[in-house]
Amino acid sequence: MYDLVLLASGPPEWSHERFITWWRGEHADLTRLLPGLRRWRHVAIDRALEPQPVRPSR
């Protein structure tokens, strides 16, 4: 069994909401047809994955 983890983005003119709607809808419907696929899981990232540096106050 293999796990696939990827980061994806939509066309620059799409809003985040439009991309997520497409990704969980039309795209998901197609990927669920892949032979041997056991599970399809989607986690939307809504903030930076790494902590942002703290800037000293002035």
Side-chain angles (χ1 to χ4, degrees):
M1 179 168 67
Y2 298 94
D3 289 329
L4 172 66
V5 177
L6 61 101
L7 299 176
S9 63
E13 64 274 9
W14 283 15
S15 67
H16 177 75
E17 292 76 21
R18 181 176 179 189
F19 176 72
I20 296 300
T21 298
W22 172 81
W23 188 265
R24 290 181 173 172
E26 181 182 343
H27 176 263
D29 293 343
L30 292 173
T31 58
R32 287 188 183 107
L33 300 175
L34 292 170
L37 182 68
R38 293 183 177 183
R39 184 171 73 168
W40 189 95
R41 182 175 168 190
H42 173 251
V43 178
I45 298 172
D46 60 358
R47 60 186 173 275
L49 295 175
E50 296 178 2
Q52 299 301 307
V54 177
R55 295 183 180 177
S57 57
R58 294 181 177 191

